[in-house]
Amino acid sequence: MIVGKSVNRVDAYDKATGIAKYTADLCDNNAYVAKVLHSTIAHGFVEEIDKKEAEAMEGVIKIVTCFDVPDIEFPTAGHPHSLDPNHQDIADRKLLNTHVRYYGDDIAAVIAVDEVTAKKALKKIKVKYKELPFVTRAKDALKEDAALIHPDNDDYESSLNGNKYKENGEHKNILAHTSINKGDFEKAIQEEGLIKVEGHYKTPIVSHCHIENNSIFAKEEFGKITVVASTQLPHIVRRVIAQALGIDWGKVRVIKPYIGGGFGNKQDALYEPLCAYLSTQVGGRTVKLEPTREETFVSNRTRHPIEYDITSYVRKDGTIVARKFLAITPNGGYASHGHSISAKGLGAFPQQYPCENIKADAYTVYTNTPVCGAMRGYGIPQAMWAGECHIDDIARKLGMDPYEYRMKFIMPKGFVDPFSKNENYFDSFRQTLEKGKEEFNYYEKKEKYKNQTGNIRRGVGLASFWYNTAVWPISQEASSCRMILNQDGSIQVQLAETEIGQGADTAFSQMAADAVGVKFEDIHVVSVQDTDVLPFGTGAYASRQTYIAGFAITKTANILREKILKHAYRLTRMSPDNLDIIDGNIIRKQDNRILMSLGDLAMKALYSMDHSEHITAEATHQIMSNAYSFGCTFAEVEVDIQMCKIKVLKMLNVHDCGKLINPQLARAQAHGGMSMALGFALNEEYLIDDKTGRVLNGNLLDYKLLTSADQPDLDVIFIENPEPTSVFGTKSLGEPPTCSGAPAIRNAVLNATGVALNQAPMSSRNIFVPFKESGLFEEVK
Amino acid sequence: MIVGKSVNRVDAYDKATGIAKYTADLCDNNAYVAKVLHSTIAHGFVEEIDKKEAEAMEGVIKIVTCFDVPDIEFPTAGHPHSLDPNHQDIADRKLLNTHVRYYGDDIAAVIAVDEVTAKKALKKIKVKYKELPFVTRAKDALKEDAALIHPDNDDYESSLNGNKYKENGEHKNILAHTSINKGDFEKAIQEEGLIKVEGHYKTPIVSHCHIENNSIFAKEEFGKITVVASTQLPHIVRRVIAQALGIDWGKVRVIKPYIGGGFGNKQDALYEPLCAYLSTQVGGRTVKLEPTREETFVSNRTRHPIEYDITSYVRKDGTIVARKFLAITPNGGYASHGHSISAKGLGAFPQQYPCENIKADAYTVYTNTPVCGAMRGYGIPQAMWAGECHIDDIARKLGMDPYEYRMKFIMPKGFVDPFSKNENYFDSFRQTLEKGKEEFNYYEKKEKYKNQTGNIRRGVGLASFWYNTAVWPISQEASSCRMILNQDGSIQVQLAETEIGQGADTAFSQMAADAVGVKFEDIHVVSVQDTDVLPFGTGAYASRQTYIAGFAITKTANILREKILKHAYRLTRMSPDNLDIIDGNIIRKQDNRILMSLGDLAMKALYSMDHSEHITAEATHQIMSNAYSFGCTFAEVEVDIQMCKIKVLKMLNVHDCGKLINPQLARAQAHGGMSMALGFALNEEYLIDDKTGRVLNGNLLDYKLLTSADQPDLDVIFIENPEPTSVFGTKSLGEPPTCSGAPAIRNAVLNATGVALNQAPMSSRNIFVPFKESGLFEEVK
């Protein structure tokens, strides 16, 4: 068994030596280069584009504007396609837009012989706008007189006089609104002696900051448009390109090489449709479109900033009687993943601390800001920020220890979510909390840090989370796999689930090796994916890949094994029931005798003069399950009150993500996610200019991503309860490590200082006011 | 039905616009460039290579010599691999060779940063040889004292004292010898009144002259060596590379892009193994190896020159009583396809004009000349040169008309070859001859041209041929196919049989469209083949592809159809037996009602929430059949006796290659083959220097390939007898058009002048002596 072992990554050598080729490495040197012209207003209509001077420049091949592109609105979210029109993603943008919805929107593109020429040409294009009032905050977008960002009639007048177009009493700038109602909130809160705890919690706009930007090149060949792109979802991007260009889906081919990270930004069609279109405008010549980091910050996707109001009514013993949640999310200028992120976050609350009376609402609202899309955690880091800060606020109000409070009221063993049918089989929440408490010496530290009075104070805090695995039952959950037996007994494995830096190909290789019965090194997962020959699958998102691919691999391996053993029967006359494949050999089960190697069998099957067969197998596996993944973070902080500076000393994550496929890779996943949680907690935040709607710090210098030197001691422990619905007992781990870090740090600060910081990130800038208002500065002066 | 229609080529647009990418177009600009150092002696051993000065040059990365390469001898022939060691190709060369077997053999390779540097470095390498006597003619190679070209102990002494090592009475320079013995030749010729006709016929060494040379680049990535190459046989080349490098076959990946012709030269592993090896010597960096045209002439493969002695004993009425054949073939320095070409040619004689008493021998002999390998026609153009010249010689001796003679004695209807089980079902030989005679106005012309006396004389001639389809029963004959249904109802088809310029992908698309029941434009054959994901198949040779792929396509299409109709049943509740797929729609057979489009079905299957399936199909089809393809050429020539110049005025080919898949493509195939036959007949010939063994005219300037201006009026007629063993009724056409052109022209010259020209090509140089000896010059003075 190779599953469960920390084997080296299959791509380690290529990546360490620089052999690995990424999209930009693969593009022809003589490709045309496209650059996008972005709007310099936050809201309005492009009235006129004067491209004459730019077009006359030597080396400029063509300039395409928002007046030239197909009149087709398309969706961009990387969701599985749905046959139900009501469940399909919102189609609300064109390849280039005359109605400009944020500062940085795409209005034209230059195709030139090189990047320098293209950039120079951008500067010579003159744009005349007709401006509209813009909004950067959700509450402003909901004002009566707010201009409509997506009016039914997409013209200036309709946009400006938005309030005329209200329907069902809801503002037309609302992208979507969902409610959860359980029990009778109003009646429940009448109970005498209830303690009311209220909180307002807020998260920032954050950038994914993957290393490789969304590099793309496109060309027409073989009667198709081929798009090579740094994407998490080749098959979905293929579909979206076809939708955007209004062509048959089979006429698009997407190739995914090695990828330098995605974190959800590339779980969207980004500039792939535009790049494909631009190639069609220059006779199918190769056109390269590589967004800069600055464009990636502003004109790709971001993490949704969400504001939560939570009100809980609890009894003196802590029992939660009734809760009310309100989540308001400004989504930016286009829908992208839209409301599903806010809705997913909202759905987390009732399950984590079950309660009989709930009233919850989430609104996602169009705003004139960069577009929010998927990002690692998909709404859960935001929800956990609010929910787990709030739990500490309850515990504090009741004078209970936050660990103790959670142990008492968190989701009980055997809890089943009626919608997803997910079950907490093993009381994993409590197991992870208890394990964390012990390993972290939580009580010891807490005791040590009590009654501090100086400027530098330490504290400990914790937060928990749960996360789904895959997208059932909201969307379809299926994956296809193909296996191809080579003459030497090695096997190519094709899956549409993508290696984007996380180690997926290694996990797939391990599972495939065990599923077929060959050595790990005899599995070659085809990492460069080409939708023309790729089995269908939807790609990297929802922490689904290891879980769903496990099924597809196993099903396909079983078909392959059956074919192999059928040939073995022909060659050995031993009944297939008495045969097995172990370590790449055909063995007789009876006495474990090796009858032949798989390579021998492959040769004899392939080159047979009367029964030739190229042994391959292909299958789709669909699941109707999902799985709870659980965990928590314990954090230890040191707060310099006067400097408004939080230093995280130690951070421990405990995960129950089921059985680990590769413990070393699992640790690496956890470390990466914890680091991302740290940035979210402490530093990262878009600053948007109120006067223009422009992002002020949309670059790596001003945005201040944590560096490796900023990382504290990170540790992770796994509790490997085998997930019963999962073929390898595994469940989600990709996103979970990002979910509980920030509130754990916040709760540690609360423990250290007594101040509840409700706005992430807890940067000096953001914590000065709460520290001041709390009187802390006076205390330590 | 799209089969049988002259639809445009699927690659027409790409190729006409220049979008089509060939190997050289795909290589990184910063790839290293390798150049091969060729021997400047024809036979001997490399004693020493001084590479110091070359290695010290700036830009030279590495120099690899014959002393550095793995001590592995490997085969290069593009034959299906055999599990029977006695049937495997001869492994007789290393990547670079210390034992130099011809002038131009490969002894070292320079890897440099660019081509100029690599070429300069080649000149600075000093080589010390220990020379051996060399032979350029088969008869010299068979002399007692001839040096052995492949001695058992591969050293100077063993080579020099070759005659010591004779075995079984046969010279060790004989690569192989086969005999056909039927009846009792010696007894049969005792019959009284027999007329003996003797002839000695000779063919030249010829070059394939495909447009694109054997461009290659190789790199290591994904734990494999990837070789992108202009080859006819990706899967076979993959195997040979692995054999040459001594690595597991699954560790090699071969990619075949668009190809600019092959004609059999690329039915061999050429420099692919060396290029792959060189990449491993520079840490897996991309190494490009593009042979020049001059290297292609000398150091790739050539057409076998064969000398035939034919003696026939016939009765006065023309009945052939006994025949004796001797074919001697100098194979060059290495085996490549070796004896199989000469053997195939020899095997053609007894079938074409059946005769009870046959004694036939073919010898293939190593010589110190460029290596002969496969070339369009695979021995049949040579055999037809000898055999069809000889038939005219018999007819002339008997005073019979050559057409009449053939009609009387050629293979009868119902003839079955006992070895291949091929049958002449339709009397196709006579049908093609008769049709040709009529269309060509043979007798009218013959009558017109009789009794000419001037210097300029015209004549008509004809020649017939038969050709096999595919390689069964000599080798395995199988092909695999995969089909992938897209959401729009279009289908990708993967086959390992290769498009090399001949239009194969178009024929495959037509067959697949009909086999599945979709429109031609909804089939996308995946033209760029990647062995990592490619179903197994052996590639372009033996005029097999349309025949064998027809089976694989049909079998796979049936599986795909079954899966589609199963889904259709689920969706429509109509029994699969009552459903069909026509023109991309699911129809109810009962009333031909369209129930849904295939695209609708694909969407509903793929995105189903409970029965999701990516509908694909894959299968191997193996055949145990072959098929006779028949035809003939009629030629009309004008001979300028004093100038020794032959001008072909008109050439007509008549083919029965079964049902045509695409008449326009079939005509194009025929025209190309006829043109190749013209070059073979009139011009093309390697001139080898007796003193050095060097090829004197190994370049396009001196070799004088016919240009388009040199082409006469070419015409082709097809008789479409459906081949009963073939799924689409089709059989070989790729090679047949090259087979009978040259002897038809020769027989027309004989008709015009009375002179039998027995040596091809009939260039001025070669016909001067026979014309002179015949007294023709005197006659026309």
Side-chain angles (χ1 to χ4, degrees), chain A residues 451-505:
Chain A
N451 303 326
Q452 297 169 92
T453 53
N455 177 54
I456 308 286
R457 295 185 197 171
R458 292 187 171 188
V460 289
L462 69 146
S464 67
F465 75 91
W466 68 264
Y467 201 79
N468 279 320
T469 308
V471 295
W472 178 264
I474 291 173
S475 297
Q476 188 203 48
E477 198 48 84
S479 177
S480 305
C481 177
R482 177 170 175 241
M483 293 184 178
I484 304 147
L485 181 62
N486 294 319
Q487 292 98 320
D488 57 2
S490 66
I491 291 167
Q492 270 91 248
V493 176
Q494 287 182 282
L495 278 164
E497 316 320 335
T498 51
E499 169 66 65
I500 60 166
Q502 79 283 55
D505 283 351

Side-chain angles (χ1 to χ4, degrees), chain B residues 131-142:
Chain B
E131 291 195 52
L132 283 164
F134 70 89
V135 291
T136 61
R137 292 181 180 81
K139 69 174 177 357
D140 294 332
L142 296 176

Side-chain angles (χ1 to χ4, degrees), chain A residues 13-14 19-21 25 28-29 81 83 219-224 238-239 248-251 258 283-284 286 472-476 478 480 482 484 486-488 490 492 494 521 524 526-528 531-536 603-604 606-614 616 618 620 622 624, chain B residues 13-14 19-21 25 28-29 81 83 219-224 238-239 248-251 258 283-284 286 472-476 478 480 482 484 486-488 490 492 494 521 524 526-528 531-536 603-604 606-614 616 618 620 622 624:
Chain A
Y13 182 84
D14 283 6
I19 276 181
K21 292 260 188 295
D25 301 317
D28 293 357
N29 280 24
H81 183 68
L83 296 173
K219 59 184 169 178
E220 287 187 281
E221 202 180 9
F222 311 112
K224 300 194 173 200
R238 179 199 199 199
R239 183 248 301 166
D248 289 341
W249 299 9
K251 289 283 168 79
Y258 276 134
T286 305
W472 178 264
I474 291 173
S475 297
Q476 188 203 48
S480 305
R482 177 170 175 241
I484 304 147
N486 294 319
Q487 292 98 320
D488 57 2
S490 66
Q492 270 91 248
Q494 287 182 282
E521 50 272 26
H524 306 297
V526 179
S527 193
V528 175
T531 56
D532 260 11
V533 296
L534 192 62
F536 191 84
M603 290 284 283
K604 283 174 182 156
L606 192 61
Y607 297 114
S608 163
M609 288 295 277
D610 54 3
H611 282 95
S612 173
E613 186 183 359
H614 187 206
T616 66
E618 183 163 4
T620 303
Q622 180 166 36
M624 295 180 200
Chain B
Y13 183 84
D14 283 7
I19 275 180
K21 292 259 188 295
D25 301 318
D28 294 357
N29 280 22
H81 183 68
L83 296 173
K219 59 184 169 178
E220 286 187 281
E221 203 181 8
F222 311 113
K224 301 195 172 197
R238 179 199 199 198
R239 182 248 300 167
D248 290 339
W249 299 8
K251 289 283 166 78
Y258 275 134
T286 304
W472 179 264
I474 291 174
S475 297
Q476 188 203 49
S480 305
R482 178 171 174 240
I484 305 147
N486 294 319
Q487 293 99 320
D488 57 3
S490 65
Q492 270 91 247
Q494 286 182 282
E521 50 272 26
H524 306 297
V526 178
S527 193
V528 175
T531 56
D532 260 11
V533 297
L534 191 62
F536 190 84
M603 290 285 284
K604 282 173 182 157
L606 191 61
Y607 297 115
S608 163
M609 288 297 276
D610 52 4
H611 282 97
S612 173
E613 185 184 0
H614 187 206
T616 65
E618 185 164 3
T620 302
Q622 181 166 35
M624 295 180 201

Side-chain angles (χ1 to χ4, degrees), chain A residues 24-34 59 61 111-115 217-219 279 282 284-290, chain B residues 18-22 24-30:
Chain A
D25 301 317
L26 294 168
C27 188
D28 293 357
N29 280 24
N30 65 346
Y32 288 153
V33 175
I61 306 298
I111 305 167
V113 292
D114 57 37
E115 194 179 346
F217 63 91
K219 59 184 169 178
S279 172
V282 289
R285 276 279 302 258
T286 305
V287 173
K288 177 164 69 170
L289 200 165
E290 293 189 280
Chain B
I19 275 180
K21 292 259 188 295
Y22 295 80
D25 301 318
L26 295 167
C27 187
D28 294 357
N29 280 22
N30 65 346

Side-chain angles (χ1 to χ4, degrees), chain A residues 204-248:
Chain A
I205 304 182
V206 163
S207 180
H208 309 77
C209 295
H210 37 71
I211 292 177
E212 184 200 17
N213 291 333
N214 173 230
S215 285
I216 314 160
F217 63 91
K219 59 184 169 178
E220 287 187 281
E221 202 180 9
F222 311 112
K224 300 194 173 200
I225 299 175
T226 298
V227 180
V228 181
S230 181
T231 178
Q232 299 175 214
L233 353 115
H235 267 301
I236 291 179
V237 162
R238 179 199 199 199
R239 183 248 301 166
V240 174
I241 291 169
Q243 289 176 312
L245 273 61
I247 59 176
D248 289 341

Side-chain angles (χ1 to χ4, degrees), chain B residues 344 351 411 415 417 420-426 428 465-473 477 542-544 546-548 551 623-630 656-659 721-727 729-733 736:
Chain B
K344 178 167 181 177
Q351 297 176 58
M411 177 194 289
F415 177 90
D417 173 44
S420 65
K421 308 282 187 297
N422 279 354
E423 183 175 338
N424 179 10
Y425 300 100
F426 300 96
S428 297
F465 75 91
W466 68 264
Y467 201 79
N468 278 320
T469 309
V471 295
W472 179 264
E477 198 48 84
S543 302
R544 64 188 280 277
T546 308
Y547 184 70
I548 183 67
F551 292 95
I623 55 169
M624 295 180 201
S625 66
N626 192 311
Y628 273 136
S629 194
F630 301 98
D656 177 4
C657 57
K659 299 297 283 180
N721 290 317
E723 166 61 31
T725 64
S726 165
V727 68
T730 187
K731 50 192 178 181
S732 70
L733 178 64

